[in-house]
Amino acid sequence: MVILLVVVAAVAAVARRIKIPPAILLVVAGVVLALIPGLPAVELAPELVLLMVLPPLIYSSAVAMSWKEFRFNLRPIALLAVGCVVFTTVAVAAATHYLLGLPWAVGFVLGAIVSPPDAVAPLSIARRLQIPRRILVVLEGEGLANDATALILYRFAVVAVSVGAFSFSEAVGTFATIVIGEVLWGIGVGWAMLRLRRWVGDPLIEITLSVLTPYLAYWPPAELGGSGVLATVTTGLYISWNGYLLISAATRLQGVFFWEFLIYTIEGLVFLITGLQARTLVARIGAYPVWELVVSAIVVSVVVIVARFVWVYPVVYVPRWIPAIRRRDPAPTWQTPFALAFTGVRGVVSLAAALAIPFAVDSGAPFPARDLILFLTFTVILVTLVGQGLLLPRVIRALGLAHAGRRERHAERVEEYAARRAALAAALERLEQLATERDLPDEVLKPLRAHTRDQLRHVDNRSDGDAHHRRLTELREDIELELIAAERARIQRPVPHRHADRRDPPPHRARARPARGRPRLPPRGAMNRFRAESGPCHIRRGGACPRPCFNPRAVGTTGGDKPRPYKTR
C-alpha cells in the first residue's frame, strides 16, 4: 500500500507538470508496471470496488452537486444516465451478436459493463479549460446516476445467462421497484444522518458519521438486489440541499478538506490498480487468436463511441420541438452536444463489474466468454480513457468552447457582489436599529459602523471594474496577508522565561536540583500550560514563591515551603 501511494504521488506530480489528467497517467503507469517481469501481480477484488470504493465516490460527488442545477438539468441528465446507457447496451449486444457471434445474453452482459461513462478525467480537463458551466453540470449529473442504470442492467443480464431465461415485463417491474425503493431509502438515510449529526454536535464525530453515511445508504439496497447507487446519490443530494441548515460551519470546513484528501487518494489508487490488471488479463486470453482479439476490441470500442454520438444529438434537439421546452430552454449550438458525446470515457466501475462476473452458471458450466469480456472491457477503458482523454483538450479548443465559461464566471461574480452588498446594507440597517433600541455608546457604535462601511466600500471597489480601485483592493489584500503573516510569526516565536528579580542569574547558569522526598516535576506539557496561565516566575531571593512554579531552571519552591538558594556553576 505504501509503495502504491508513493507511485500515486509521483505520477500525480508529473501529471501536474505536463498538464495531463492524473487518471490517464496513472492507468498508463499501472500498465507499464504490470508488464515489467519480476514484479508481483496485483488483482483487483470486485467486491472492494463495488462495496467499499464506489459508495464514497458517489456520495462525495452528490454532496458537491447543486440541487438547484441538478433539478434544472434533470431532463438531459436522465436521458443520458438512463437512455444513453440502455441504448449503448443494446447497440453493443447487437454488434457482438451479429459481428462476433456472441450469444445475445452474453452481449448484453458486455454492453451493460461498458455502457456507463466515468466523468473523473473529462471533468478535470473541462474545468481547467473553463468550458460552460452547464456542460459540467450535465456531465456530473450523468456520472452520478448512470452507474445505477448500468449495474441494474448488468444484474439482469448475468441472471439471464446463468438461468437461461429472461422476462422483459418482469425486468421492467423490478427496475421500477428498485428505483422507487432506493429513492425513498436514500431520503430516509439523509434525513436520519442529518438529525444525528446535529444531535452529536462534535466536528470529529460528525465527519466520522459522514464517512459511514454512503455505506449505510449503499449496502442494504445492494444486498436486497438493487444497485445501491441511486440510494447513495439521493442521500448525497438530500444532504447537499439541507446540510447547511443542520451542519455547523466548523464541521463543513473541516469536512471539505477531509473529503478532498480521501477522494483524491481513493481515485489515485483505483486508477493505478486498474492499469496493474494488464498482467492478469494478458495471462487469461492466451487461448484466443490475436487477430480475433484485435477485431473484437476494434468493433466494441467503435460501437461504444459511435453509439453515444448517435444518442446525444437527438436527445438534445428533439425535445426542443415542444414549444414550452424551447421557450424555457433554447437549443444550444452543435458544439455543445459534440463535447457531451466526446466525453464518454469509461472507468473503474466497468472493470469492477467485469471482474465480478461469476465463474460458472447455475448448471455448473463455465460462464461463456468470461475472459473475452474482461479483455474487451479493459481495452475499451484504455481506448476511451487514454485515447479520448488525451484528445479531449484539443477537441474542446477546436470547438471553440475553451474559456467560453469566462462570461458565466463574470456573471456569477457580479451576482455574488450584489448579494454581499445587500447583506452589508442589511447589517448597517440592523446596527442602526440596535443603536436606537439599546442606546449604544459611541465607543461601541463608531468602530462597528466604520468596519461595516469599510467592508461595503471594499466590495464596491472589487465590483465596479475601475482599474485604480482594483489595484487598491489588491494592494490592501496583500498588506492584510503580510499583517497576518507577521502575527503568525510573532505568536509562533518562542518566548523565554523571564524572572521578576533581575538580580537572579540567567536561566542558563541555574541548575534545578529537586529536594529529597519532593515529588517529581510535572511533564513539560503541564509546565508550558502553567506558564501560559500564571505568567512570569515570582521567585524572590530569600523569599517564598506565592504560587507553584514549574520552571525546571528555577530552584525556588512552592508557596509555604522553605526556599532554597540558587546554585551557580
Side-chain angles (χ1 to χ4, degrees), residues 131-171:
I131 69 173
R133 172 66 182 170
R134 188 172 188 186
I135 299 179
L136 296 176
V137 173
V138 172
L139 289 176
E140 290 176 353
E142 180 194 6
L144 289 177
N146 58 12
D147 292 336
T149 306
L151 290 178
I152 294 174
L153 295 177
Y154 164 78
R155 295 195 178 191
F156 289 161
V158 170
V159 170
V161 174
S162 301
V163 178
F166 178 75
S167 173
F168 179 78
S169 60
E170 183 179 352

mmCIF file of all heavy atoms in Angstrom, residues 131-171:
data_model
loop_
_atom_site.group_PDB
_atom_site.id
_atom_site.type_symbol
_atom_site.label_atom_id
_atom_site.label_comp_id
_atom_site.label_asym_id
_atom_site.label_seq_id
_atom_site.Cartn_x
_atom_site.Cartn_y
_atom_site.Cartn_z
ATOM 1 N N ILE A 131 -14.881 25.434 -19.648
ATOM 2 C CA ILE A 131 -15.996 25.313 -20.578
ATOM 3 C C ILE A 131 -17.273 25.774 -19.882
ATOM 4 O O ILE A 131 -17.289 25.975 -18.660
ATOM 5 C CB ILE A 131 -16.132 23.862 -21.081
ATOM 6 C CG1 ILE A 131 -16.586 22.940 -19.943
ATOM 7 C CG2 ILE A 131 -14.823 23.373 -21.682
ATOM 8 C CD1 ILE A 131 -16.897 21.536 -20.414
ATOM 9 N N PRO A 132 -18.379 25.959 -20.609
ATOM 10 C CA PRO A 132 -19.605 26.441 -19.978
ATOM 11 C C PRO A 132 -20.048 25.572 -18.812
ATOM 12 O O PRO A 132 -19.915 24.344 -18.826
ATOM 13 C CB PRO A 132 -20.620 26.415 -21.128
ATOM 14 C CG PRO A 132 -19.795 26.601 -22.351
ATOM 15 C CD PRO A 132 -18.503 25.904 -22.074
ATOM 16 N N ARG A 133 -20.603 26.237 -17.817
ATOM 17 C CA ARG A 133 -20.974 25.569 -16.575
ATOM 18 C C ARG A 133 -22.016 24.478 -16.803
ATOM 19 O O ARG A 133 -21.975 23.432 -16.140
ATOM 20 C CB ARG A 133 -21.521 26.628 -15.597
ATOM 21 C CG ARG A 133 -22.137 26.083 -14.321
ATOM 22 C CD ARG A 133 -21.120 25.410 -13.447
ATOM 23 N NE ARG A 133 -21.727 24.847 -12.260
ATOM 24 C CZ ARG A 133 -21.085 24.033 -11.414
ATOM 25 N NH1 ARG A 133 -19.832 23.699 -11.651
ATOM 26 N NH2 ARG A 133 -21.703 23.563 -10.358
ATOM 27 N N ARG A 134 -22.921 24.677 -17.717
ATOM 28 C CA ARG A 134 -23.997 23.706 -17.883
ATOM 29 C C ARG A 134 -23.473 22.362 -18.375
ATOM 30 O O ARG A 134 -23.990 21.305 -18.007
ATOM 31 C CB ARG A 134 -25.052 24.234 -18.853
ATOM 32 C CG ARG A 134 -26.275 23.332 -18.894
ATOM 33 C CD ARG A 134 -27.404 23.906 -19.675
ATOM 34 N NE ARG A 134 -28.597 23.086 -19.514
ATOM 35 C CZ ARG A 134 -29.720 23.272 -20.160
ATOM 36 N NH1 ARG A 134 -29.826 24.290 -21.004
ATOM 37 N NH2 ARG A 134 -30.749 22.475 -19.961
ATOM 38 N N ILE A 135 -22.463 22.363 -19.224
ATOM 39 C CA ILE A 135 -21.877 21.101 -19.674
ATOM 40 C C ILE A 135 -21.288 20.344 -18.485
ATOM 41 O O ILE A 135 -21.436 19.118 -18.365
ATOM 42 C CB ILE A 135 -20.814 21.365 -20.758
ATOM 43 C CG1 ILE A 135 -21.444 22.039 -21.970
ATOM 44 C CG2 ILE A 135 -20.125 20.073 -21.164
ATOM 45 C CD1 ILE A 135 -20.448 22.358 -23.068
ATOM 46 N N LEU A 136 -20.614 21.067 -17.594
ATOM 47 C CA LEU A 136 -20.052 20.429 -16.405
ATOM 48 C C LEU A 136 -21.144 19.825 -15.532
ATOM 49 O O LEU A 136 -21.004 18.702 -15.031
ATOM 50 C CB LEU A 136 -19.249 21.450 -15.594
ATOM 51 C CG LEU A 136 -18.004 22.038 -16.253
ATOM 52 C CD1 LEU A 136 -17.382 23.091 -15.347
ATOM 53 C CD2 LEU A 136 -16.999 20.943 -16.561
ATOM 54 N N VAL A 137 -22.239 20.555 -15.357
ATOM 55 C CA VAL A 137 -23.328 20.061 -14.511
ATOM 56 C C VAL A 137 -23.946 18.798 -15.105
ATOM 57 O O VAL A 137 -24.217 17.817 -14.391
ATOM 58 C CB VAL A 137 -24.388 21.153 -14.317
ATOM 59 C CG1 VAL A 137 -25.613 20.599 -13.589
ATOM 60 C CG2 VAL A 137 -23.811 22.321 -13.533
ATOM 61 N N VAL A 138 -24.162 18.788 -16.420
ATOM 62 C CA VAL A 138 -24.751 17.614 -17.065
ATOM 63 C C VAL A 138 -23.817 16.412 -16.952
ATOM 64 O O VAL A 138 -24.253 15.284 -16.665
ATOM 65 C CB VAL A 138 -25.080 17.923 -18.538
ATOM 66 C CG1 VAL A 138 -25.518 16.655 -19.269
ATOM 67 C CG2 VAL A 138 -26.165 18.977 -18.622
ATOM 68 N N LEU A 139 -22.524 16.626 -17.151
ATOM 69 C CA LEU A 139 -21.568 15.524 -17.034
ATOM 70 C C LEU A 139 -21.513 14.998 -15.596
ATOM 71 O O LEU A 139 -21.464 13.776 -15.374
ATOM 72 C CB LEU A 139 -20.181 15.985 -17.477
ATOM 73 C CG LEU A 139 -19.993 16.244 -18.972
ATOM 74 C CD1 LEU A 139 -18.600 16.784 -19.252
ATOM 75 C CD2 LEU A 139 -20.241 14.972 -19.764
ATOM 76 N N GLU A 140 -21.516 15.906 -14.626
ATOM 77 C CA GLU A 140 -21.505 15.471 -13.235
ATOM 78 C C GLU A 140 -22.774 14.707 -12.875
ATOM 79 O O GLU A 140 -22.726 13.655 -12.223
ATOM 80 C CB GLU A 140 -21.346 16.685 -12.312
ATOM 81 C CG GLU A 140 -19.976 17.331 -12.359
ATOM 82 C CD GLU A 140 -19.909 18.575 -11.499
ATOM 83 O OE1 GLU A 140 -20.972 18.987 -10.986
ATOM 84 O OE2 GLU A 140 -18.813 19.127 -11.341
ATOM 85 N N GLY A 141 -23.917 15.225 -13.302
ATOM 86 C CA GLY A 141 -25.169 14.543 -13.009
ATOM 87 C C GLY A 141 -25.267 13.190 -13.684
ATOM 88 O O GLY A 141 -25.750 12.211 -13.087
ATOM 89 N N GLU A 142 -24.802 13.107 -14.927
ATOM 90 C CA GLU A 142 -24.806 11.812 -15.610
ATOM 91 C C GLU A 142 -23.897 10.818 -14.903
ATOM 92 O O GLU A 142 -24.249 9.640 -14.731
ATOM 93 C CB GLU A 142 -24.341 11.990 -17.062
ATOM 94 C CG GLU A 142 -24.314 10.681 -17.837
ATOM 95 C CD GLU A 142 -23.542 10.802 -19.140
ATOM 96 O OE1 GLU A 142 -22.942 11.869 -19.379
ATOM 97 O OE2 GLU A 142 -23.537 9.822 -19.909
ATOM 98 N N GLY A 143 -22.728 11.293 -14.462
ATOM 99 C CA GLY A 143 -21.813 10.397 -13.756
ATOM 100 C C GLY A 143 -22.371 9.874 -12.447
ATOM 101 O O GLY A 143 -21.971 8.797 -11.983
ATOM 102 N N LEU A 144 -23.305 10.618 -11.836
ATOM 103 C CA LEU A 144 -23.902 10.155 -10.586
ATOM 104 C C LEU A 144 -24.865 8.997 -10.801
ATOM 105 O O LEU A 144 -24.882 8.033 -10.029
ATOM 106 C CB LEU A 144 -24.642 11.314 -9.908
ATOM 107 C CG LEU A 144 -23.801 12.429 -9.303
ATOM 108 C CD1 LEU A 144 -24.706 13.523 -8.755
ATOM 109 C CD2 LEU A 144 -22.901 11.897 -8.201
ATOM 110 N N ALA A 145 -25.690 9.088 -11.850
ATOM 111 C CA ALA A 145 -26.812 8.157 -11.992
ATOM 112 C C ALA A 145 -26.582 7.045 -12.999
ATOM 113 O O ALA A 145 -27.306 6.041 -12.958
ATOM 114 C CB ALA A 145 -28.073 8.933 -12.376
ATOM 115 N N ASN A 146 -25.614 7.187 -13.910
ATOM 116 C CA ASN A 146 -25.502 6.157 -14.954
ATOM 117 C C ASN A 146 -25.010 4.824 -14.400
ATOM 118 O O ASN A 146 -25.341 3.763 -14.946
ATOM 119 C CB ASN A 146 -24.593 6.636 -16.092
ATOM 120 C CG ASN A 146 -23.200 7.005 -15.605
ATOM 121 O OD1 ASN A 146 -22.813 6.712 -14.484
ATOM 122 N ND2 ASN A 146 -22.449 7.655 -16.469
ATOM 123 N N ASP A 147 -24.231 4.844 -13.322
ATOM 124 C CA ASP A 147 -23.781 3.584 -12.733
ATOM 125 C C ASP A 147 -24.956 2.773 -12.202
ATOM 126 O O ASP A 147 -24.934 1.532 -12.260
ATOM 127 C CB ASP A 147 -22.786 3.852 -11.603
ATOM 128 C CG ASP A 147 -21.477 4.428 -12.116
ATOM 129 O OD1 ASP A 147 -21.162 4.206 -13.298
ATOM 130 O OD2 ASP A 147 -20.770 5.112 -11.347
ATOM 131 N N ALA A 148 -25.975 3.455 -11.667
ATOM 132 C CA ALA A 148 -27.142 2.736 -11.162
ATOM 133 C C ALA A 148 -27.839 1.991 -12.293
ATOM 134 O O ALA A 148 -28.167 0.800 -12.179
ATOM 135 C CB ALA A 148 -28.105 3.711 -10.492
ATOM 136 N N THR A 149 -28.070 2.666 -13.418
ATOM 137 C CA THR A 149 -28.721 2.008 -14.555
ATOM 138 C C THR A 149 -27.895 0.837 -15.074
ATOM 139 O O THR A 149 -28.419 -0.259 -15.329
ATOM 140 C CB THR A 149 -28.942 3.030 -15.683
ATOM 141 O OG1 THR A 149 -29.647 4.161 -15.171
ATOM 142 C CG2 THR A 149 -29.731 2.416 -16.815
ATOM 143 N N ALA A 150 -26.593 1.063 -15.224
ATOM 144 C CA ALA A 150 -25.735 0.017 -15.780
ATOM 145 C C ALA A 150 -25.659 -1.198 -14.861
ATOM 146 O O ALA A 150 -25.702 -2.347 -15.332
ATOM 147 C CB ALA A 150 -24.339 0.578 -16.032
ATOM 148 N N LEU A 151 -25.545 -0.990 -13.557
ATOM 149 C CA LEU A 151 -25.433 -2.126 -12.645
ATOM 150 C C LEU A 151 -26.729 -2.922 -12.568
ATOM 151 O O LEU A 151 -26.713 -4.152 -12.427
ATOM 152 C CB LEU A 151 -25.028 -1.633 -11.253
ATOM 153 C CG LEU A 151 -23.592 -1.099 -11.134
ATOM 154 C CD1 LEU A 151 -23.324 -0.585 -9.728
ATOM 155 C CD2 LEU A 151 -22.577 -2.174 -11.505
ATOM 156 N N ILE A 152 -27.878 -2.236 -12.669
ATOM 157 C CA ILE A 152 -29.151 -2.967 -12.680
ATOM 158 C C ILE A 152 -29.267 -3.805 -13.955
ATOM 159 O O ILE A 152 -29.638 -4.994 -13.915
ATOM 160 C CB ILE A 152 -30.326 -1.989 -12.550
ATOM 161 C CG1 ILE A 152 -30.302 -1.318 -11.162
ATOM 162 C CG2 ILE A 152 -31.652 -2.711 -12.754
ATOM 163 C CD1 ILE A 152 -31.337 -0.229 -10.999
ATOM 164 N N LEU A 153 -28.941 -3.220 -15.115
ATOM 165 C CA LEU A 153 -28.952 -3.990 -16.360
ATOM 166 C C LEU A 153 -27.949 -5.133 -16.304
ATOM 167 O O LEU A 153 -28.215 -6.241 -16.822
ATOM 168 C CB LEU A 153 -28.635 -3.074 -17.540
ATOM 169 C CG LEU A 153 -29.652 -1.975 -17.856
ATOM 170 C CD1 LEU A 153 -29.150 -1.113 -19.009
ATOM 171 C CD2 LEU A 153 -31.005 -2.574 -18.195
ATOM 172 N N TYR A 154 -26.809 -4.890 -15.714
ATOM 173 C CA TYR A 154 -25.778 -5.921 -15.591
ATOM 174 C C TYR A 154 -26.286 -7.119 -14.789
ATOM 175 O O TYR A 154 -26.082 -8.280 -15.174
ATOM 176 C CB TYR A 154 -24.546 -5.293 -14.936
ATOM 177 C CG TYR A 154 -23.538 -6.272 -14.396
ATOM 178 C CD1 TYR A 154 -22.654 -6.931 -15.237
ATOM 179 C CD2 TYR A 154 -23.458 -6.526 -13.029
ATOM 180 C CE1 TYR A 154 -21.717 -7.824 -14.738
ATOM 181 C CE2 TYR A 154 -22.531 -7.411 -12.525
ATOM 182 C CZ TYR A 154 -21.661 -8.062 -13.377
ATOM 183 O OH TYR A 154 -20.742 -8.941 -12.871
ATOM 184 N N ARG A 155 -26.992 -6.862 -13.693
ATOM 185 C CA ARG A 155 -27.518 -7.963 -12.885
ATOM 186 C C ARG A 155 -28.597 -8.739 -13.641
ATOM 187 O O ARG A 155 -28.650 -9.972 -13.566
ATOM 188 C CB ARG A 155 -28.060 -7.424 -11.569
ATOM 189 C CG ARG A 155 -26.978 -6.825 -10.696
ATOM 190 C CD ARG A 155 -27.428 -6.615 -9.279
ATOM 191 N NE ARG A 155 -26.342 -6.077 -8.462
ATOM 192 C CZ ARG A 155 -26.375 -5.993 -7.134
ATOM 193 N NH1 ARG A 155 -27.445 -6.417 -6.483
ATOM 194 N NH2 ARG A 155 -25.351 -5.505 -6.468
ATOM 195 N N PHE A 156 -29.454 -8.038 -14.376
ATOM 196 C CA PHE A 156 -30.457 -8.721 -15.189
ATOM 197 C C PHE A 156 -29.784 -9.621 -16.230
ATOM 198 O O PHE A 156 -30.202 -10.768 -16.453
ATOM 199 C CB PHE A 156 -31.359 -7.708 -15.883
ATOM 200 C CG PHE A 156 -32.301 -6.991 -14.956
ATOM 201 C CD1 PHE A 156 -32.890 -5.795 -15.320
ATOM 202 C CD2 PHE A 156 -32.609 -7.519 -13.714
ATOM 203 C CE1 PHE A 156 -33.770 -5.137 -14.474
ATOM 204 C CE2 PHE A 156 -33.481 -6.868 -12.862
ATOM 205 C CZ PHE A 156 -34.059 -5.677 -13.234
ATOM 206 N N ALA A 157 -28.734 -9.101 -16.892
ATOM 207 C CA ALA A 157 -28.072 -9.868 -17.945
ATOM 208 C C ALA A 157 -27.341 -11.078 -17.383
ATOM 209 O O ALA A 157 -27.367 -12.169 -17.980
ATOM 210 C CB ALA A 157 -27.094 -8.965 -18.704
ATOM 211 N N VAL A 158 -26.679 -10.922 -16.237
ATOM 212 C CA VAL A 158 -25.975 -12.054 -15.624
ATOM 213 C C VAL A 158 -26.963 -13.143 -15.224
ATOM 214 O O VAL A 158 -26.718 -14.351 -15.415
ATOM 215 C CB VAL A 158 -25.148 -11.578 -14.422
ATOM 216 C CG1 VAL A 158 -24.602 -12.762 -13.629
ATOM 217 C CG2 VAL A 158 -23.997 -10.710 -14.892
ATOM 218 N N VAL A 159 -28.105 -12.734 -14.673
ATOM 219 C CA VAL A 159 -29.131 -13.718 -14.307
ATOM 220 C C VAL A 159 -29.654 -14.428 -15.556
ATOM 221 O O VAL A 159 -29.890 -15.653 -15.548
ATOM 222 C CB VAL A 159 -30.276 -13.031 -13.544
ATOM 223 C CG1 VAL A 159 -31.460 -13.979 -13.369
ATOM 224 C CG2 VAL A 159 -29.788 -12.550 -12.183
ATOM 225 N N ALA A 160 -29.828 -13.693 -16.647
ATOM 226 C CA ALA A 160 -30.314 -14.310 -17.879
ATOM 227 C C ALA A 160 -29.327 -15.346 -18.401
ATOM 228 O O ALA A 160 -29.722 -16.419 -18.884
ATOM 229 C CB ALA A 160 -30.567 -13.235 -18.938
ATOM 230 N N VAL A 161 -28.025 -15.053 -18.308
ATOM 231 C CA VAL A 161 -27.023 -16.026 -18.752
ATOM 232 C C VAL A 161 -26.992 -17.229 -17.818
ATOM 233 O O VAL A 161 -26.903 -18.388 -18.263
ATOM 234 C CB VAL A 161 -25.636 -15.360 -18.831
ATOM 235 C CG1 VAL A 161 -24.560 -16.395 -19.150
ATOM 236 C CG2 VAL A 161 -25.637 -14.274 -19.882
ATOM 237 N N SER A 162 -27.071 -16.990 -16.519
ATOM 238 C CA SER A 162 -26.970 -18.088 -15.555
ATOM 239 C C SER A 162 -28.187 -18.997 -15.592
ATOM 240 O O SER A 162 -28.068 -20.229 -15.536
ATOM 241 C CB SER A 162 -26.784 -17.516 -14.137
ATOM 242 O OG SER A 162 -25.617 -16.722 -14.057
ATOM 243 N N VAL A 163 -29.381 -18.405 -15.687
ATOM 244 C CA VAL A 163 -30.614 -19.192 -15.659
ATOM 245 C C VAL A 163 -30.998 -19.683 -17.053
ATOM 246 O O VAL A 163 -31.574 -20.760 -17.218
ATOM 247 C CB VAL A 163 -31.746 -18.365 -15.029
ATOM 248 C CG1 VAL A 163 -33.067 -19.136 -15.035
ATOM 249 C CG2 VAL A 163 -31.377 -17.968 -13.618
ATOM 250 N N GLY A 164 -30.691 -18.879 -18.057
ATOM 251 C CA GLY A 164 -31.053 -19.252 -19.412
ATOM 252 C C GLY A 164 -32.395 -18.738 -19.850
ATOM 253 O O GLY A 164 -32.912 -19.155 -20.888
ATOM 254 N N ALA A 165 -32.993 -17.809 -19.073
ATOM 255 C CA ALA A 165 -34.307 -17.257 -19.430
ATOM 256 C C ALA A 165 -34.356 -15.797 -19.012
ATOM 257 O O ALA A 165 -33.623 -15.368 -18.114
ATOM 258 C CB ALA A 165 -35.430 -18.043 -18.757
ATOM 259 N N PHE A 166 -35.245 -15.034 -19.688
ATOM 260 C CA PHE A 166 -35.367 -13.604 -19.388
ATOM 261 C C PHE A 166 -36.794 -13.160 -19.683
ATOM 262 O O PHE A 166 -37.352 -13.478 -20.733
ATOM 263 C CB PHE A 166 -34.381 -12.790 -20.223
ATOM 264 C CG PHE A 166 -34.484 -11.300 -19.996
ATOM 265 C CD1 PHE A 166 -33.980 -10.715 -18.848
ATOM 266 C CD2 PHE A 166 -35.112 -10.491 -20.949
ATOM 267 C CE1 PHE A 166 -34.080 -9.347 -18.656
ATOM 268 C CE2 PHE A 166 -35.207 -9.130 -20.744
ATOM 269 C CZ PHE A 166 -34.690 -8.558 -19.596
ATOM 270 N N SER A 167 -37.380 -12.412 -18.736
ATOM 271 C CA SER A 167 -38.732 -11.881 -18.893
ATOM 272 C C SER A 167 -38.656 -10.353 -18.911
ATOM 273 O O SER A 167 -38.255 -9.734 -17.915
ATOM 274 C CB SER A 167 -39.633 -12.353 -17.749
ATOM 275 O OG SER A 167 -40.889 -11.725 -17.813
ATOM 276 N N PHE A 168 -39.039 -9.762 -20.038
ATOM 277 C CA PHE A 168 -38.941 -8.309 -20.173
ATOM 278 C C PHE A 168 -39.899 -7.600 -19.217
ATOM 279 O O PHE A 168 -39.530 -6.619 -18.559
ATOM 280 C CB PHE A 168 -39.230 -7.912 -21.614
ATOM 281 C CG PHE A 168 -39.167 -6.426 -21.843
ATOM 282 C CD1 PHE A 168 -37.952 -5.767 -21.965
ATOM 283 C CD2 PHE A 168 -40.337 -5.674 -21.938
ATOM 284 C CE1 PHE A 168 -37.905 -4.399 -22.162
ATOM 285 C CE2 PHE A 168 -40.290 -4.304 -22.142
ATOM 286 C CZ PHE A 168 -39.070 -3.668 -22.258
ATOM 287 N N SER A 169 -41.145 -8.055 -19.139
ATOM 288 C CA SER A 169 -42.127 -7.407 -18.255
ATOM 289 C C SER A 169 -41.704 -7.497 -16.789
ATOM 290 O O SER A 169 -41.836 -6.524 -16.034
ATOM 291 C CB SER A 169 -43.501 -8.043 -18.453
ATOM 292 O OG SER A 169 -43.451 -9.432 -18.152
ATOM 293 N N GLU A 170 -41.173 -8.640 -16.398
ATOM 294 C CA GLU A 170 -40.710 -8.787 -15.020
ATOM 295 C C GLU A 170 -39.518 -7.875 -14.744
ATOM 296 O O GLU A 170 -39.395 -7.288 -13.671
ATOM 297 C CB GLU A 170 -40.336 -10.239 -14.752
ATOM 298 C CG GLU A 170 -39.900 -10.503 -13.317
ATOM 299 C CD GLU A 170 -39.554 -11.965 -13.086
ATOM 300 O OE1 GLU A 170 -39.813 -12.782 -14.002
ATOM 301 O OE2 GLU A 170 -39.038 -12.286 -11.997
ATOM 302 N N ALA A 171 -38.634 -7.737 -15.738
ATOM 303 C CA ALA A 171 -37.469 -6.862 -15.565
ATOM 304 C C ALA A 171 -37.899 -5.406 -15.428
ATOM 305 O O ALA A 171 -37.346 -4.664 -14.607
ATOM 306 C CB ALA A 171 -36.523 -7.028 -16.751
#
